[in-house]
């Protein structure tokens, strides 16, 4: 079953993972530098004490001063590295925050897009998406000289279910039937909820009426399987029948509206004759 295009989440998590790895390495370097500074400080302190007792020559005093200078530089490097690491950590946190905001915005966009093109009760494509698929299918059929079909499906006596069992049970039945219709839809085809207990099928690239007949019989069989509904400790088993009207492009119409109207009329013919399905004539 066809659906609307999905927005892909940008691959923004890889840079943050790389920065986190760099930060971990930098922290290890900072610890090593700090440890070296501490050891150098200890060595210089011991040397200072020893040379004070011995009265060292000027050369050793100069060497000790240079070592103490190096010690100070190592301490300064450790402090600067600590500042750099803190800034890097802040940058990582900020990027993570922005990535979470982006993911939330994309999820919200996906939810809004889905709501705009799908029925809220059944999750099936709505009229807007179906019409878009039908118009696109017509363009492809005209361009390549192919046939396609529209099936208009109506659940028989569905109003009596709402009246006798309640709308909660009726909604559950619609969800069960919708799932069965979805499971009996080819990848390139589209099934949608037209409204109430009515559904529309778009069958692409059909070969002949026999293919459509087999599909209609398969759908009717799936719909007629018992619907077991459990709501608030109440169990109900229902059997649903359906009527299907079928129109074929280009025989029964060359526009989206014409094909849907022809299928709708054929559906009422199938309902009157209790034949299950009927082709537009």
């Amino acid at each position: 079953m066809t659906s609307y295009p999905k927005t892909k989440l940008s691959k923004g998590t890889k840079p943050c993972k790389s920065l986190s790895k760099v930060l971990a390495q930098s922290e290890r370097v900072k610890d090593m530098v700090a440890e070296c500074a501490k050891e150098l400080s200890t060595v210089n302190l011991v040397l200072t004490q020893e040379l004070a007792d011995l009265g060292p020559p000027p050369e050793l005093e100069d060497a000790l001063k240079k070592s103490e200078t190096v010690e100070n530089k190592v301490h300064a490097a450790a402090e600067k590295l600590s500042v750099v690491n803190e800034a890097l950590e802040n940058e990582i946190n900020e990027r993570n925050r922005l990535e979470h905001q982006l993911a939330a915005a994309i999820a919200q966009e996906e939810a809004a897009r889905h709501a705009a093109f799908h029925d809220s009760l059944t999750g099936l494509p709505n009229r807007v998406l179906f019409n878009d698929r039908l118009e696109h299918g017509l363009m492809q059929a005209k361009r390549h000289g192919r046939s396609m079909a529209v099936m208009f499906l109506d659940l028989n006596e569905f109003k009596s279910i709402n009246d006798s069992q309640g709308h909660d049970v009726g909604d559950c039945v619609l969800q069960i039937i919708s799932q069965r219709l979805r499971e009996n839809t080819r990848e390139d085809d589209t099934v949608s909820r037209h409204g109430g207990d009515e559904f529309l099928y778009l069958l692409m690239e059909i070969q002949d009426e026999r293919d459509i007949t087999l599909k209609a019989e398969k759908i009717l069989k799936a719909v007629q399987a018992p619907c077991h509904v459990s709501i608030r400790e109440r169990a109900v088993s229902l059997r649903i029948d359906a009527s299907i009207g079928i129109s074929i492009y280009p025989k029964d119409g060359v526009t989206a509206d014409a094909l849907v109207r022809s299928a709708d009329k054929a559906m009422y013919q199938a309902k009157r004759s209790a034949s299950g399905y009927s082709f537009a004539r």
Side-chain angles (χ1 to χ4, degrees):
M1 181 176 65
T2 53
S3 60
Y4 63 94
K6 296 183 178 179
T7 304
K8 293 185 178 179
L9 179 63
S10 61
K11 299 179 180 179
T13 54
K14 289 186 178 180
C16 272
K17 288 183 179 179
S18 298
L19 286 177
S20 297
K21 186 176 180 180
V22 171
L23 176 60
Q25 294 173 341
S26 184
E27 286 287 352
R28 288 195 292 270
V29 173
K30 183 200 73 173
D31 293 340
M32 291 172 60
V33 172
E35 185 178 352
C36 291
K38 183 178 180 180
E39 291 177 356
L40 187 57
S41 178
T42 301
V43 171
N44 287 342
L45 179 61
V46 172
L47 288 176
T48 299
Q49 292 173 347
E50 290 293 331
L51 293 177
D53 295 338
L54 297 175
E59 294 82 1
L60 290 180
E61 288 184 352
D62 290 342
L64 180 58
K65 289 179 180 179
K66 291 180 180 179
S67 181
E68 290 174 343
T69 300
V70 172
E71 175 194 341
N72 292 334
K73 289 182 179 180
V74 173
H75 276 297
E79 292 176 359
K80 290 180 179 179
L81 192 54
S82 179
V83 172
V84 170
N85 288 348
E86 183 178 356
L88 184 57
E89 184 176 5
N90 291 336
E91 176 67 18
I92 291 173
N93 291 336
E94 178 64 13
R95 290 198 179 193
N96 281 329
R97 184 183 67 82
L98 293 175
E99 284 170 3
H100 285 132
Q101 288 182 344
L102 176 61
I106 290 176
Q108 186 176 10
E109 179 189 354
E110 288 291 328
R113 185 187 295 253
H114 188 276
F117 292 105
H118 290 78
D119 176 61
S120 59
L121 177 64
T122 64
L124 292 178
N126 59 18
R127 292 188 186 189
V128 175
L129 183 54
F130 181 83
N131 288 338
D132 178 75
R133 299 306 182 202
L134 180 51
E135 292 289 355
H136 179 74
L138 283 171
M139 288 191 295
Q140 294 296 316
K142 291 175 183 177
R143 181 178 303 166
H144 301 289
R146 299 169 180 165
S147 293
M148 52 181 280
V150 172
M151 295 197 305
F152 199 116
L153 184 148
D154 178 87
L155 302 181
N156 298 338
E157 304 299 333
F158 183 77
K159 183 178 181 300
S160 64
I161 294 177
N162 281 332
D163 293 341
S164 62
Q165 304 294 339
H167 287 277
D168 287 348
V169 172
D171 287 347
C172 287
V173 169
L174 287 174
Q175 290 171 337
I176 293 171
I177 296 299
S178 296
Q179 180 59 32
R180 294 175 183 176
L181 297 180
R182 184 185 290 110
E183 291 170 354
N184 284 277
T185 303
R186 300 178 304 180
E187 183 177 357
D188 292 334
D189 297 339
T190 300
V191 59
S192 75
R193 186 184 180 197
H194 188 63
D197 60 340
E198 297 176 336
F199 300 85
L200 282 173
Y201 259 93
L202 172 61
L203 301 178
M204 300 293 295
E205 296 187 35
I206 60 172
Q207 299 300 321
D208 50 41
E209 288 192 7
R210 179 59 181 165
D211 287 343
I212 305 173
T213 297
L214 292 174
K215 186 66 176 178
E217 291 174 347
K218 185 177 181 181
I219 291 171
L220 289 173
K221 183 178 180 180
V223 170
Q224 290 167 355
C227 292
H228 302 293
V229 179
S230 296
I231 298 179
R232 294 186 292 274
E233 300 181 356
R234 177 185 170 209
V236 179
S237 183
L238 301 168
R239 184 180 183 277
I240 312 297
D241 287 315
S243 298
I244 299 176
I246 305 165
S247 62
I248 301 174
Y249 169 86
K251 179 172 69 71
D252 303 314
V254 294
T255 67
D257 289 341
L259 287 170
V260 172
R261 285 197 305 270
S262 294
D264 189 12
K265 291 178 181 178
M267 182 272 293
Y268 280 104
Q269 175 60 36
K271 192 179 289 286
R272 285 191 295 269
S273 62
S275 58
Y277 63 88
S278 178
F279 285 89
R281 302 302 179 192

